Each structure stands twice: as C-alpha cells, then as structure tokens.
Amino acid sequence: MPELLLALDAGTTGARAMLVDPAGVVLGIDKRPIASTYPAPGLVEQDAAGVWDICRAVIAGALAAAGRTIADVAAIGVTSQRASVVVWDRHSGRPAAPMLVWSDLRGMDAYRDLRAAGFTAWPQVPSAKLPAAIALSGKPAADLQWGTLDSWLVYCLSGGAAHVTDVSCGWMTGYFDYAGGRQWNTGLLDYQRLPESMFPALVESWGPIARTAPTVLGAAVPVTALIADQQAGMVAHGALERGTWKVTYGTSGVLMANTGDQPMAPHFSMPAEALVFAGGERLFCIEGMVITAGSLVEWMCGALGLFASPSVLEAAAASVADSGGVIVRPSLAGMGAPHGRFDARGMIAGLNLGSGPAQIARAALHGIAHRFRDIADVIEKALPVPEALPADGGLSASDTLLQLQADTLQRRVRRHAVPEGTAYGAALAAGLGAGLLDAADLSAVVRYGREFHPAVTRDEADAAYAAWRAAVDVDA
C-alpha cells in the first residue's frame, strides 16, 4: 500500500517537491529555480506553463532522490506563494497571459479605486490585477478561467478536471466574501463585471480535493491538501492552537500567529486571514511581512555583487562583532507590516572609511532581525504568544541572523530541523487530509535543531533597536 506524502511547493524564486514518510522523515527533495521577468519598474511576471514544467521536473526529481516511484505516494499536498494571478483559456487549458507575480504593483490605481468603492484590497492582491491580466490575454472573460498559482497547479495535476482553491489562498485574492465567510464576493465580481464561472471552487484546506490524472504523473493519486505557503508553514510547526506562531525567512519574511477561531486585526497593515478551514473547523491568523528578506541577500550576492553566495555573506557577517555603525533598511520593494509603506526603498547608511563588506553583511542581517521585531512587538501585545519563536525558511540557515533575532527580541529562537517549512507543512497537511496523520500527532513529528538564546542584555537590545529605527527613518 502506498504510504508516502508528496509535497509540491511553488514559491516565488523556485519550486520544490519533497517526499515524506508518515513519521515525518524527509526521504527525498528536489528544487529548481523559477525565473521572473521585469518588463518595467514595479512589474513582475512569470511563465505559468514554464512553472508547471518545473513542478513536474521537481516531482520526478524528489521521487528519484528517494529511490521511489509515484506508486509509493499515498497523497499529495500543494502549496504556493499566495497572490499571483494565472489566467488560462478554459477550452485549451493553456495560459492566456503572463502570470502576474504577487509582488507586481501594476494594480496600485485599481487598489485605490477598490478602496474608494468600499472593497477590501491591497496593492498586491489579485482583485487589483486580475482585470489587467484579462486585458493582457486579449480574450473575453467568459472564455477564461483564473486562479492563484496553487489553483493552476492542481488544474494541471488533475489534467484539467479540478478548478479549485482553498480558503487560505482565496482569502488573499481580495475576492473573498469576508463578511459571509464562505464564498466569493459577488458584489465585487459585479463591480468588475467578472463572471463567477472564471473563479475556482472553494474547498477545505485538507481532505478529498482532487486526483491526479494518470496521464500526468503515471497514476491517479489523491490530492488531499491545498494550502497557502505561510499557512503550510504553520502546520510544519504544529502551530494549530491559538497564540502559537512562527517566522519564515524566505524571499520575503513572514511572522504569523494563530488567532484561534476568531479573526483579529491588531494593526491596519496586519488584517485577519484564514489559517485553515478543515473538518468544519475554522482557524484564523495574522501575519506581518518583511517584503525584502532573502531577496536582500540575493541582491547583495547577485546584482550588487558584494558576495559570491549567501554562505559567503554569512561568513562575512559572522567575522565581525558588529556592523561598525553601518545600518541597512531591508526594503528594496517597500516596507510591509507594521508600516504599510510600499513606496519606501532600501537604505544603507552610516558608511565610513572603516566599512567593508563584512560590516554591510552584518548590518543587512541585523536590519532583517529588527524588521521582525517591528512585527513581533505588535503581535505580542495582541496575543499570549510562547516565549520561544520557531523559525524556518532558507535564510534560517544563518546562525548570525538567528542570534541577532534572539538578541533583539530577547526571546529564544528555535530552528526547524527541516528548513523548507512550507513544503514540509504541505506534506503533513496531505497526511491530515488523507487520514494518515492526526493533528495530535504533529507535536511528535515536528523536530527542531539549534536553539539560539539572547546574548545581550535587554537594555543593549533596546538601544540597538532604537538606533536602527532612528537611522532608517522608519516612521517618516
């Protein structure tokens, strides 16, 4: 009998597949990059067909790495970055326009229009960009279907049989009926003159969702989880109780906390979100985003050319005791919560004749840590959060960052044993959906590696944080 769990995780800069056994042990993983194009300032696009090709390749790669075949897979979980727009022809099933990535800001004017008309909207969400994607297709809306990337991937996995998304993804589109809580906002669809037939059906986050087409993967495998990436990360930490939280250091960074069965919005930049709707239970969450986290490191290693790789940057940052007065504001694409300043840009300040790459590297990591303190300070006033902060994501491999995070928060920071938390969480969610795992099993499955304790006093941490905030003009 097949018993393994396969996760498909399509992020902004790469896709990965992970094969996990019912005890939570990772058996195989494969990851490949996804390229973006930038046709103009503020515009970010990807090729949806190309992303699907990459996803098929990483599934094959993960199975090969584990020495298994698709016949060994009992269930599949799908997760993706949440607010990208994919539009495809309902007759051919082919993408009809470039995928508009979540960070694409072409919807700024539409966002302001929606807000003025009384609808809930943010610049990055699909409700501010779907009309633009339809215009790019050159086709009538009635001939199209659309979804966020998760919806497109399940559509492809099922051979076009399933056009679905879950509430955790649907919530982030701007089209969800937040007052009613269970369907699309028909008033907004009418306002934008969009047929509901374009929209995916809303399903629970785990349970029976779809089956893969045998012509696609070689077998009909149940898809039993479909969940947004950060929410999947919460599953990876077993954070399904009110007040539990986690931080993910990815391309962007997200600090998310479970608010239980009641939606909560402690700050205008941190609205209530759906965490998981499953088995008739509804859990909500809040999150604060550092828009530029891992992407700051990639920029310093790529476009800026200061370091050969993230590991070289980490070594440089660890080689000095402090930044020598250099301060970095990690906001190359705006400042997220709790500032909501999408026009803000990155800043390197305090340079002097003694400054070198090592000081800049340490200041960059310290800047990311301080940005998460901005968010943690808001969350801990609203919820009874645990003393320790669990962490995952690619940048969580940085000992320097996690130590600086523990210092500025004056809390323990625990690194997940599986840094690819979103993929791992999607696999565990697939196990929940298939009945192979129970929520009570998660605490036994989830494991942690190194734990970081504050190495400075609270007075020292507060002074460093205050100096950083003053230097980067956070409140301007």
Side-chain angles (χ1 to χ4, degrees):
M1 289 287 291
E3 62 172 6
L4 303 183
L5 307 171
L6 176 66
L8 176 59
D9 175 11
T12 306
T13 59
R16 63 174 63 83
M18 178 184 289
L19 198 64
V20 177
D21 74 12
V25 177
V26 177
L27 304 178
I29 187 168
D30 190 36
K31 178 181 177 181
R32 305 190 185 197
I34 295 174
S36 296
T37 57
Y38 306 89
L43 307 189
V44 189
E45 298 177 354
Q46 292 181 352
D47 173 14
V51 171
W52 167 234
D53 289 341
I54 291 168
C55 288
R56 293 185 70 162
V58 295
I59 290 173
L63 291 169
R68 302 299 187 100
T69 71
I70 193 67
D72 297 315
V73 177
I76 296 175
V78 176
T79 188
S80 76
Q81 33 94 351
R82 295 165 286 180
S84 295
V85 176
V86 185
V87 172
W88 62 92
D89 186 296
R90 68 165 58 248
H91 306 294
S92 70
R94 297 190 183 95
M99 180 167 75
L100 307 186
V101 177
W102 65 271
S103 53
D104 182 295
L105 293 176
R106 76 186 68 201
M108 287 297 294
D109 290 342
Y111 146 72
R112 296 187 184 100
D113 174 72
L114 289 171
R115 284 281 179 138
F119 295 106
T120 301
W122 304 272
Q124 303 99 329
V125 301
S127 63
K129 294 182 283 193
L130 179 56
I134 294 171
L136 284 172
S137 78
K139 297 175 180 289
D143 288 344
L144 300 170
Q145 292 178 309
W146 92 278
T148 43
L149 182 54
D150 56 282
S151 183
W152 166 244
L153 295 177
V154 174
Y155 179 85
C156 293
L157 284 166
S158 67
H163 182 203
V164 296
T165 192
D166 95 307
V167 175
S168 69
C169 298
W171 191 282
M172 303 300 291
T173 65
Y175 286 110
F176 193 72
D177 178 2
Y178 302 104
R182 296 192 180 277
Q183 60 187 6
W184 300 117
N185 183 340
T186 54
L188 176 53
L189 270 58
D190 290 342
Y191 182 77
Q192 294 187 330
R193 299 181 179 179
L194 298 175
E196 193 164 354
S197 60
M198 283 190 71
F199 283 67
L202 290 162
V203 298
E204 293 201 322
S205 307
W206 53 71
I209 293 173
R211 297 181 75 85
T212 62
T215 54
V216 175
L217 295 183
V221 181
V223 177
T224 58
L226 195 169
I227 185 170
D229 57 358
Q230 296 304 321
Q231 283 79 348
M234 293 288 277
V235 178
H237 290 279
L240 298 181
E241 299 293 331
R242 183 176 186 270
T244 49
W245 64 347
K246 63 88 188 173
V247 60
T248 296
Y249 301 99
T251 303
S252 295
V254 171
L255 179 50
M256 178 173 279
N258 184 330
T259 65
D261 60 3
Q262 296 297 319
M264 173 189 293
H267 189 272
F268 79 90
S269 64
M270 300 168 66
E273 298 177 17
L275 173 56
V276 167
F277 283 23
E281 185 179 12
R282 306 196 310 170
L283 293 176
F284 296 88
C285 61
I286 51 174
E287 72 170 62
M289 176 179 285
V290 178
I291 300 173
T292 311
S295 54
L296 174 69
V297 172
E298 293 169 3
W299 174 75
M300 286 186 160
C301 298
L304 195 60
L306 271 180
F307 308 96
S309 68
S311 61
V312 174
L313 182 149
E314 163 67 10
S319 70
V320 292
D322 57 55
S323 68
V326 179
I327 286 178
V328 171
R329 184 172 76 185
S331 53
L332 298 179
M335 292 182 75
H339 307 289
R341 293 177 54 197
F342 300 104
D343 59 338
R345 290 297 176 259
M347 178 187 298
I348 302 176
L351 294 169
N352 58 74
L353 292 175
S355 303
Q359 286 76 23
I360 295 173
R362 193 171 186 91
L365 298 179
H366 214 173
I368 293 170
H370 283 321
R371 279 288 293 113
F372 279 108
R373 176 167 172 176
D374 288 344
I375 298 164
D377 284 352
V378 175
I379 291 177
E380 68 181 17
K381 290 176 182 174
L383 285 168
V385 295
E387 193 277 334
L389 176 64
D392 65 77
L395 201 53
S396 71
S398 168
D399 288 354
T400 304
L401 172 60
L402 296 198
Q403 183 59 60
L404 292 170
Q405 193 71 81
D407 289 346
T408 191
L409 293 180
Q410 290 290 287
R411 292 178 178 275
R412 292 180 289 121
V413 176
R414 308 168 68 192
R415 179 158 56 205
H416 201 293
V418 182
E420 300 88 353
T422 54
Y424 191 66
L428 298 184
L432 294 170
L436 298 174
L437 289 173
D438 185 85
D441 299 330
L442 294 180
S443 60
V445 169
V446 177
R447 290 177 286 271
Y448 289 91
R450 182 175 172 184
E451 186 167 274
F452 296 80
H453 295 252
V456 300
T457 67
R458 178 168 292 281
D459 286 346
E460 291 171 329
D462 288 348
Y465 178 59
W468 175 82
R469 284 183 62 92
V472 302
D473 200 17
V474 164
D475 297 320

